[in-house]
Amino acid sequence: MKHPTPLDTALSPGFQIAPMVDVVFVIMLFFMVMANSLKTEQRLSLQLPGYLNYTEVKMPSAEIIVGVDEDGSISLNDAVLGEGNDTRLVAFTAAMTRLQQHAAAINDKVLITLQADEQATYQRVMDVLNVLAKAHLVNITFTVGQDEA
């Protein structure tokens, strides 16, 4: 193993700090120049919900369950209002219209849950939705199958 001679140490410049300082100054200069070109965020004037502007949301007082069975019969809270071969759904339309008129008279919302059987036809479900739209009922949720309680 060869030991360094005084001649070898004189030729080796060692660690030079000046180039490192130059690199740090160039990087710092880059960030200083680029900081000026950043865009500032614009202030949005919007009011978020909070304690001061809280308004109570009125929930529907009752939920109406409309069932569409496999054979096409339509029920309203377990009372059958349309058989499978009834295409016009006159009784169901009248009941839904009366329900909406009553809710409007007492300033209440109607929440309808459309509970379709897994084997019910899409056309029959669409017939029920058309009747609900005709009666101006809009708060509708869907379930498929029977709820196991």
Side-chain angles (χ1 to χ4, degrees):
M1 182 155 168
K2 183 179 174 187
H3 292 287
T5 63
L7 185 60
D8 290 339
T9 17
L11 294 177
S12 172
F15 181 73
Q16 296 293 313
I17 193 77
M20 296 306 242
V21 171
D22 288 344
V23 168
V24 168
F25 280 134
V26 168
I27 291 173
M28 190 171 68
L29 180 66
F30 171 76
F31 283 112
M32 288 171 54
V33 169
M34 291 307 293
N36 215 9
S37 67
L38 291 176
K39 294 184 190 241
T40 58
E41 291 184 18
Q42 298 295 322
R43 183 174 179 191
L44 298 176
S45 60
L46 73 115
Q47 212 170 4
L48 296 175
Y51 179 74
L52 296 177
N53 59 1
Y54 174 75
T55 57
E56 188 174 333
V57 176
K58 185 173 181 180
M59 295 300 291
S61 59
E63 177 184 15
I64 307 298
I65 298 176
V66 175
V68 179
D69 292 334
E70 180 180 353
D71 62 353
S73 63
I74 298 169
S75 61
L76 177 65
N77 289 342
D78 296 327
V80 177
L81 289 180
E83 296 298 326
N85 55 4
D86 183 12
T87 57
R88 295 183 55 224
L89 299 174
V90 177
F92 182 65
T93 304
M96 292 294 100
T97 304
R98 281 193 313 270
L99 180 67
Q100 174 58 24
Q101 289 170 350
H102 175 70
I106 63 171
N107 196 21
D108 195 11
K109 292 182 179 180
V110 178
L111 177 63
I112 305 277
T113 299
L114 180 57
Q115 192 174 49
D117 190 89
E118 292 177 359
Q119 301 300 321
T121 62
Y122 293 120
Q123 182 60 51
R124 195 57 169 180
V125 173
M126 289 306 299
D127 291 342
V128 170
L129 287 174
N130 288 335
V131 168
L132 295 175
K134 190 177 184 182
H136 304 289
L137 294 165
V138 293
N139 297 321
I140 303 168
T141 59
F142 292 93
T143 61
V144 177
Q146 298 295 323
D147 288 342
E148 300 296 326

mmCIF file of all heavy atoms in Angstrom, residues 70-109:
data_model
loop_
_atom_site.group_PDB
_atom_site.id
_atom_site.type_symbol
_atom_site.label_atom_id
_atom_site.label_comp_id
_atom_site.label_asym_id
_atom_site.label_seq_id
_atom_site.Cartn_x
_atom_site.Cartn_y
_atom_site.Cartn_z
ATOM 1 N N GLU A 70 -93.664 -8.416 -8.867
ATOM 2 C CA GLU A 70 -93.214 -9.197 -10.018
ATOM 3 C C GLU A 70 -94.311 -9.330 -11.065
ATOM 4 O O GLU A 70 -94.043 -9.288 -12.263
ATOM 5 C CB GLU A 70 -92.770 -10.580 -9.530
ATOM 6 C CG GLU A 70 -92.290 -11.496 -10.614
ATOM 7 C CD GLU A 70 -91.866 -12.846 -10.070
ATOM 8 O OE1 GLU A 70 -91.818 -13.036 -8.840
ATOM 9 O OE2 GLU A 70 -91.605 -13.731 -10.899
ATOM 10 N N ASP A 71 -95.560 -9.469 -10.627
ATOM 11 C CA ASP A 71 -96.673 -9.628 -11.580
ATOM 12 C C ASP A 71 -97.147 -8.289 -12.150
ATOM 13 O O ASP A 71 -98.080 -8.250 -12.946
ATOM 14 C CB ASP A 71 -97.832 -10.368 -10.918
ATOM 15 C CG ASP A 71 -98.420 -9.611 -9.730
ATOM 16 O OD1 ASP A 71 -97.848 -8.577 -9.337
ATOM 17 O OD2 ASP A 71 -99.450 -10.071 -9.197
ATOM 18 N N GLY A 72 -96.538 -7.177 -11.734
ATOM 19 C CA GLY A 72 -96.903 -5.873 -12.267
ATOM 20 C C GLY A 72 -97.902 -5.115 -11.422
ATOM 21 O O GLY A 72 -98.248 -3.979 -11.756
ATOM 22 N N SER A 73 -98.365 -5.694 -10.334
ATOM 23 C CA SER A 73 -99.321 -4.979 -9.495
ATOM 24 C C SER A 73 -98.595 -3.885 -8.713
ATOM 25 O O SER A 73 -97.443 -4.026 -8.334
ATOM 26 C CB SER A 73 -100.037 -5.940 -8.550
ATOM 27 O OG SER A 73 -99.126 -6.545 -7.674
ATOM 28 N N ILE A 74 -99.316 -2.801 -8.482
ATOM 29 C CA ILE A 74 -98.752 -1.633 -7.815
ATOM 30 C C ILE A 74 -99.486 -1.431 -6.503
ATOM 31 O O ILE A 74 -100.714 -1.441 -6.456
ATOM 32 C CB ILE A 74 -98.866 -0.395 -8.712
ATOM 33 C CG1 ILE A 74 -98.058 -0.636 -9.975
ATOM 34 C CG2 ILE A 74 -98.393 0.852 -8.005
ATOM 35 C CD1 ILE A 74 -98.280 0.372 -11.038
ATOM 36 N N SER A 75 -98.711 -1.229 -5.445
ATOM 37 C CA SER A 75 -99.321 -1.037 -4.129
ATOM 38 C C SER A 75 -98.837 0.272 -3.526
ATOM 39 O O SER A 75 -97.747 0.745 -3.817
ATOM 40 C CB SER A 75 -98.967 -2.204 -3.208
ATOM 41 O OG SER A 75 -97.572 -2.286 -3.037
ATOM 42 N N LEU A 76 -99.690 0.822 -2.693
ATOM 43 C CA LEU A 76 -99.374 2.053 -1.974
ATOM 44 C C LEU A 76 -99.499 1.739 -0.489
ATOM 45 O O LEU A 76 -100.609 1.537 0.013
ATOM 46 C CB LEU A 76 -100.343 3.170 -2.380
ATOM 47 C CG LEU A 76 -100.196 4.501 -1.679
ATOM 48 C CD1 LEU A 76 -98.862 5.129 -2.033
ATOM 49 C CD2 LEU A 76 -101.329 5.425 -2.060
ATOM 50 N N ASN A 77 -98.357 1.650 0.203
ATOM 51 C CA ASN A 77 -98.333 1.238 1.609
ATOM 52 C C ASN A 77 -99.113 -0.057 1.815
ATOM 53 O O ASN A 77 -99.995 -0.154 2.661
ATOM 54 C CB ASN A 77 -98.870 2.339 2.525
ATOM 55 C CG ASN A 77 -97.927 3.517 2.620
ATOM 56 O OD1 ASN A 77 -96.758 3.401 2.289
ATOM 57 N ND2 ASN A 77 -98.432 4.641 3.060
ATOM 58 N N ASP A 78 -98.839 -1.046 1.021
ATOM 59 C CA ASP A 78 -99.416 -2.392 1.074
ATOM 60 C C ASP A 78 -100.875 -2.481 0.629
ATOM 61 O O ASP A 78 -101.486 -3.535 0.745
ATOM 62 C CB ASP A 78 -99.270 -3.009 2.471
ATOM 63 C CG ASP A 78 -97.807 -3.211 2.852
ATOM 64 O OD1 ASP A 78 -97.000 -3.480 1.928
ATOM 65 O OD2 ASP A 78 -97.478 -3.102 4.041
ATOM 66 N N ALA A 79 -101.468 -1.401 0.139
ATOM 67 C CA ALA A 79 -102.828 -1.443 -0.414
ATOM 68 C C ALA A 79 -102.699 -1.446 -1.934
ATOM 69 O O ALA A 79 -102.123 -0.530 -2.520
ATOM 70 C CB ALA A 79 -103.639 -0.238 0.039
ATOM 71 N N VAL A 80 -103.219 -2.488 -2.581
ATOM 72 C CA VAL A 80 -103.069 -2.637 -4.031
ATOM 73 C C VAL A 80 -103.937 -1.606 -4.752
ATOM 74 O O VAL A 80 -105.142 -1.516 -4.523
ATOM 75 C CB VAL A 80 -103.444 -4.073 -4.472
ATOM 76 C CG1 VAL A 80 -103.358 -4.205 -5.980
ATOM 77 C CG2 VAL A 80 -102.534 -5.082 -3.795
ATOM 78 N N LEU A 81 -103.300 -0.807 -5.622
ATOM 79 C CA LEU A 81 -104.008 0.216 -6.388
ATOM 80 C C LEU A 81 -103.953 -0.012 -7.888
ATOM 81 O O LEU A 81 -104.541 0.749 -8.640
ATOM 82 C CB LEU A 81 -103.432 1.611 -6.087
ATOM 83 C CG LEU A 81 -103.740 2.177 -4.715
ATOM 84 C CD1 LEU A 81 -103.118 3.547 -4.576
ATOM 85 C CD2 LEU A 81 -105.232 2.270 -4.487
ATOM 86 N N GLY A 82 -103.250 -1.015 -8.323
ATOM 87 C CA GLY A 82 -103.183 -1.301 -9.746
ATOM 88 C C GLY A 82 -102.790 -2.738 -9.979
ATOM 89 O O GLY A 82 -101.804 -3.208 -9.411
ATOM 90 N N GLU A 83 -103.557 -3.422 -10.780
ATOM 91 C CA GLU A 83 -103.236 -4.821 -11.100
ATOM 92 C C GLU A 83 -102.202 -4.864 -12.219
ATOM 93 O O GLU A 83 -101.928 -3.862 -12.872
ATOM 94 C CB GLU A 83 -104.519 -5.558 -11.527
ATOM 95 C CG GLU A 83 -105.558 -5.660 -10.425
ATOM 96 C CD GLU A 83 -105.074 -6.451 -9.224
ATOM 97 O OE1 GLU A 83 -104.307 -7.404 -9.388
ATOM 98 O OE2 GLU A 83 -105.469 -6.088 -8.100
ATOM 99 N N GLY A 84 -101.672 -6.034 -12.457
ATOM 100 C CA GLY A 84 -100.626 -6.196 -13.464
ATOM 101 C C GLY A 84 -101.068 -5.876 -14.871
ATOM 102 O O GLY A 84 -100.275 -5.430 -15.692
ATOM 103 N N ASN A 85 -102.362 -6.075 -15.184
ATOM 104 C CA ASN A 85 -102.846 -5.823 -16.541
ATOM 105 C C ASN A 85 -103.415 -4.407 -16.691
ATOM 106 O O ASN A 85 -103.848 -4.034 -17.771
ATOM 107 C CB ASN A 85 -103.897 -6.858 -16.927
ATOM 108 C CG ASN A 85 -105.042 -6.911 -15.930
ATOM 109 O OD1 ASN A 85 -105.095 -6.131 -14.989
ATOM 110 N ND2 ASN A 85 -105.947 -7.857 -16.137
ATOM 111 N N ASP A 86 -103.439 -3.619 -15.627
ATOM 112 C CA ASP A 86 -103.952 -2.255 -15.668
ATOM 113 C C ASP A 86 -102.870 -1.340 -16.239
ATOM 114 O O ASP A 86 -101.910 -0.993 -15.556
ATOM 115 C CB ASP A 86 -104.352 -1.806 -14.261
ATOM 116 C CG ASP A 86 -104.968 -0.421 -14.243
ATOM 117 O OD1 ASP A 86 -105.294 0.097 -15.324
ATOM 118 O OD2 ASP A 86 -105.104 0.141 -13.138
ATOM 119 N N THR A 87 -103.017 -0.930 -17.485
ATOM 120 C CA THR A 87 -101.988 -0.108 -18.129
ATOM 121 C C THR A 87 -102.197 1.381 -17.895
ATOM 122 O O THR A 87 -101.257 2.154 -17.967
ATOM 123 C CB THR A 87 -101.944 -0.380 -19.641
ATOM 124 O OG1 THR A 87 -103.233 -0.140 -20.192
ATOM 125 C CG2 THR A 87 -101.501 -1.802 -19.914
ATOM 126 N N ARG A 88 -103.422 1.806 -17.613
ATOM 127 C CA ARG A 88 -103.705 3.232 -17.450
ATOM 128 C C ARG A 88 -103.458 3.711 -16.022
ATOM 129 O O ARG A 88 -103.218 4.890 -15.812
ATOM 130 C CB ARG A 88 -105.138 3.530 -17.867
ATOM 131 C CG ARG A 88 -105.317 3.257 -19.377
ATOM 132 C CD ARG A 88 -106.684 3.600 -19.909
ATOM 133 N NE ARG A 88 -107.048 4.975 -19.624
ATOM 134 C CZ ARG A 88 -108.251 5.337 -19.177
ATOM 135 N NH1 ARG A 88 -109.181 4.438 -18.983
ATOM 136 N NH2 ARG A 88 -108.520 6.590 -18.933
ATOM 137 N N LEU A 89 -103.531 2.828 -15.054
ATOM 138 C CA LEU A 89 -103.286 3.134 -13.646
ATOM 139 C C LEU A 89 -104.102 4.327 -13.156
ATOM 140 O O LEU A 89 -103.585 5.267 -12.551
ATOM 141 C CB LEU A 89 -101.786 3.396 -13.419
ATOM 142 C CG LEU A 89 -100.849 2.239 -13.734
ATOM 143 C CD1 LEU A 89 -99.407 2.673 -13.614
ATOM 144 C CD2 LEU A 89 -101.122 1.082 -12.802
ATOM 145 N N VAL A 90 -105.397 4.283 -13.409
ATOM 146 C CA VAL A 90 -106.285 5.389 -13.063
ATOM 147 C C VAL A 90 -106.367 5.585 -11.555
ATOM 148 O O VAL A 90 -106.230 6.716 -11.051
ATOM 149 C CB VAL A 90 -107.688 5.155 -13.668
ATOM 150 C CG1 VAL A 90 -108.641 6.255 -13.257
ATOM 151 C CG2 VAL A 90 -107.605 5.039 -15.177
ATOM 152 N N ALA A 91 -106.562 4.517 -10.801
ATOM 153 C CA ALA A 91 -106.694 4.625 -9.342
ATOM 154 C C ALA A 91 -105.389 5.106 -8.712
ATOM 155 O O ALA A 91 -105.384 5.943 -7.805
ATOM 156 C CB ALA A 91 -107.111 3.284 -8.746
ATOM 157 N N PHE A 92 -104.280 4.602 -9.208
ATOM 158 C CA PHE A 92 -102.978 5.006 -8.674
ATOM 159 C C PHE A 92 -102.688 6.473 -8.990
ATOM 160 O O PHE A 92 -102.199 7.219 -8.132
ATOM 161 C CB PHE A 92 -101.881 4.102 -9.247
ATOM 162 C CG PHE A 92 -100.514 4.409 -8.726
ATOM 163 C CD1 PHE A 92 -100.202 4.240 -7.388
ATOM 164 C CD2 PHE A 92 -99.528 4.872 -9.581
ATOM 165 C CE1 PHE A 92 -98.942 4.523 -6.911
ATOM 166 C CE2 PHE A 92 -98.271 5.166 -9.109
ATOM 167 C CZ PHE A 92 -97.968 4.990 -7.772
ATOM 168 N N THR A 93 -103.024 6.912 -10.198
ATOM 169 C CA THR A 93 -102.828 8.312 -10.583
ATOM 170 C C THR A 93 -103.672 9.234 -9.717
ATOM 171 O O THR A 93 -103.198 10.272 -9.241
ATOM 172 C CB THR A 93 -103.174 8.516 -12.070
ATOM 173 O OG1 THR A 93 -102.390 7.620 -12.857
ATOM 174 C CG2 THR A 93 -102.908 9.928 -12.518
ATOM 175 N N ALA A 94 -104.923 8.854 -9.491
ATOM 176 C CA ALA A 94 -105.809 9.676 -8.661
ATOM 177 C C ALA A 94 -105.287 9.754 -7.228
ATOM 178 O O ALA A 94 -105.305 10.823 -6.605
ATOM 179 C CB ALA A 94 -107.229 9.112 -8.694
ATOM 180 N N ALA A 95 -104.826 8.639 -6.697
ATOM 181 C CA ALA A 95 -104.312 8.624 -5.324
ATOM 182 C C ALA A 95 -103.067 9.496 -5.193
ATOM 183 O O ALA A 95 -102.920 10.239 -4.220
ATOM 184 C CB ALA A 95 -104.009 7.188 -4.895
ATOM 185 N N MET A 96 -102.176 9.422 -6.158
ATOM 186 C CA MET A 96 -100.951 10.227 -6.105
ATOM 187 C C MET A 96 -101.252 11.715 -6.262
ATOM 188 O O MET A 96 -100.647 12.557 -5.596
ATOM 189 C CB MET A 96 -99.962 9.778 -7.185
ATOM 190 C CG MET A 96 -99.379 8.397 -6.963
ATOM 191 S SD MET A 96 -98.327 8.305 -5.497
ATOM 192 C CE MET A 96 -99.412 7.566 -4.323
ATOM 193 N N THR A 97 -102.213 12.051 -7.114
ATOM 194 C CA THR A 97 -102.595 13.455 -7.291
ATOM 195 C C THR A 97 -103.210 14.003 -6.014
ATOM 196 O O THR A 97 -102.890 15.118 -5.585
ATOM 197 C CB THR A 97 -103.564 13.586 -8.477
ATOM 198 O OG1 THR A 97 -102.947 13.016 -9.644
ATOM 199 C CG2 THR A 97 -103.897 15.026 -8.752
ATOM 200 N N ARG A 98 -104.100 13.221 -5.387
ATOM 201 C CA ARG A 98 -104.692 13.651 -4.116
ATOM 202 C C ARG A 98 -103.627 13.820 -3.038
ATOM 203 O O ARG A 98 -103.671 14.765 -2.241
ATOM 204 C CB ARG A 98 -105.750 12.646 -3.650
ATOM 205 C CG ARG A 98 -107.090 12.764 -4.352
ATOM 206 C CD ARG A 98 -108.175 11.960 -3.638
ATOM 207 N NE ARG A 98 -107.787 10.607 -3.271
ATOM 208 C CZ ARG A 98 -107.951 9.523 -4.043
ATOM 209 N NH1 ARG A 98 -108.512 9.657 -5.234
ATOM 210 N NH2 ARG A 98 -107.582 8.341 -3.625
ATOM 211 N N LEU A 99 -102.668 12.916 -3.004
ATOM 212 C CA LEU A 99 -101.594 12.986 -2.021
ATOM 213 C C LEU A 99 -100.778 14.271 -2.193
ATOM 214 O O LEU A 99 -100.478 14.966 -1.221
ATOM 215 C CB LEU A 99 -100.689 11.758 -2.155
ATOM 216 C CG LEU A 99 -99.516 11.662 -1.203
ATOM 217 C CD1 LEU A 99 -99.991 11.466 0.223
ATOM 218 C CD2 LEU A 99 -98.609 10.524 -1.607
ATOM 219 N N GLN A 100 -100.441 14.601 -3.427
ATOM 220 C CA GLN A 100 -99.674 15.825 -3.685
ATOM 221 C C GLN A 100 -100.491 17.073 -3.346
ATOM 222 O O GLN A 100 -99.966 18.020 -2.769
ATOM 223 C CB GLN A 100 -99.213 15.873 -5.145
ATOM 224 C CG GLN A 100 -98.530 17.158 -5.550
ATOM 225 C CD GLN A 100 -97.293 17.489 -4.721
ATOM 226 O OE1 GLN A 100 -96.667 16.621 -4.136
ATOM 227 N NE2 GLN A 100 -96.958 18.764 -4.665
ATOM 228 N N GLN A 101 -101.765 17.068 -3.688
ATOM 229 C CA GLN A 101 -102.616 18.221 -3.386
ATOM 230 C C GLN A 101 -102.747 18.412 -1.876
ATOM 231 O O GLN A 101 -102.705 19.538 -1.374
ATOM 232 C CB GLN A 101 -103.992 18.052 -4.031
ATOM 233 C CG GLN A 101 -103.965 18.194 -5.527
ATOM 234 C CD GLN A 101 -105.288 17.793 -6.177
ATOM 235 O OE1 GLN A 101 -106.166 17.232 -5.531
ATOM 236 N NE2 GLN A 101 -105.408 18.083 -7.469
ATOM 237 N N HIS A 102 -102.899 17.323 -1.148
ATOM 238 C CA HIS A 102 -103.008 17.407 0.307
ATOM 239 C C HIS A 102 -101.705 17.929 0.918
ATOM 240 O O HIS A 102 -101.720 18.779 1.814
ATOM 241 C CB HIS A 102 -103.363 16.042 0.898
ATOM 242 C CG HIS A 102 -103.380 16.028 2.382
ATOM 243 N ND1 HIS A 102 -104.343 16.678 3.121
ATOM 244 C CD2 HIS A 102 -102.541 15.440 3.285
ATOM 245 C CE1 HIS A 102 -104.095 16.505 4.402
ATOM 246 N NE2 HIS A 102 -103.010 15.762 4.530
ATOM 247 N N ALA A 103 -100.573 17.435 0.430
ATOM 248 C CA ALA A 103 -99.281 17.889 0.955
ATOM 249 C C ALA A 103 -99.056 19.366 0.644
ATOM 250 O O ALA A 103 -98.538 20.106 1.485
ATOM 251 C CB ALA A 103 -98.161 17.047 0.366
ATOM 252 N N ALA A 104 -99.478 19.810 -0.536
ATOM 253 C CA ALA A 104 -99.336 21.226 -0.885
ATOM 254 C C ALA A 104 -100.246 22.093 -0.023
ATOM 255 O O ALA A 104 -99.882 23.210 0.348
ATOM 256 C CB ALA A 104 -99.639 21.436 -2.371
ATOM 257 N N ALA A 105 -101.419 21.584 0.320
ATOM 258 C CA ALA A 105 -102.363 22.356 1.132
ATOM 259 C C ALA A 105 -101.837 22.573 2.545
ATOM 260 O O ALA A 105 -102.066 23.626 3.141
ATOM 261 C CB ALA A 105 -103.715 21.661 1.180
ATOM 262 N N ILE A 106 -101.127 21.603 3.082
ATOM 263 C CA ILE A 106 -100.595 21.752 4.445
ATOM 264 C C ILE A 106 -99.111 22.143 4.431
ATOM 265 O O ILE A 106 -98.461 22.113 5.468
ATOM 266 C CB ILE A 106 -100.817 20.473 5.279
ATOM 267 C CG1 ILE A 106 -100.061 19.286 4.681
ATOM 268 C CG2 ILE A 106 -102.277 20.169 5.440
ATOM 269 C CD1 ILE A 106 -100.062 18.052 5.564
ATOM 270 N N ASN A 107 -98.597 22.498 3.273
ATOM 271 C CA ASN A 107 -97.209 22.928 3.098
ATOM 272 C C ASN A 107 -96.232 21.870 3.606
ATOM 273 O O ASN A 107 -95.360 22.141 4.423
ATOM 274 C CB ASN A 107 -96.971 24.275 3.780
ATOM 275 C CG ASN A 107 -95.689 24.921 3.302
ATOM 276 O OD1 ASN A 107 -95.190 24.584 2.235
ATOM 277 N ND2 ASN A 107 -95.164 25.837 4.086
ATOM 278 N N ASP A 108 -96.403 20.657 3.137
ATOM 279 C CA ASP A 108 -95.565 19.534 3.535
ATOM 280 C C ASP A 108 -94.947 18.922 2.285
ATOM 281 O O ASP A 108 -95.449 19.078 1.185
ATOM 282 C CB ASP A 108 -96.413 18.489 4.285
ATOM 283 C CG ASP A 108 -95.556 17.477 5.028
ATOM 284 O OD1 ASP A 108 -94.335 17.699 5.146
ATOM 285 O OD2 ASP A 108 -96.119 16.483 5.505
ATOM 286 N N LYS A 109 -93.846 18.228 2.475
ATOM 287 C CA LYS A 109 -93.206 17.516 1.372
ATOM 288 C C LYS A 109 -93.631 16.051 1.432
ATOM 289 O O LYS A 109 -93.908 15.519 2.496
ATOM 290 C CB LYS A 109 -91.690 17.590 1.468
ATOM 291 C CG LYS A 109 -91.132 18.963 1.233
ATOM 292 C CD LYS A 109 -89.629 18.918 1.300
ATOM 293 C CE LYS A 109 -89.037 20.281 1.055
ATOM 294 N NZ LYS A 109 -87.574 20.264 1.123
#
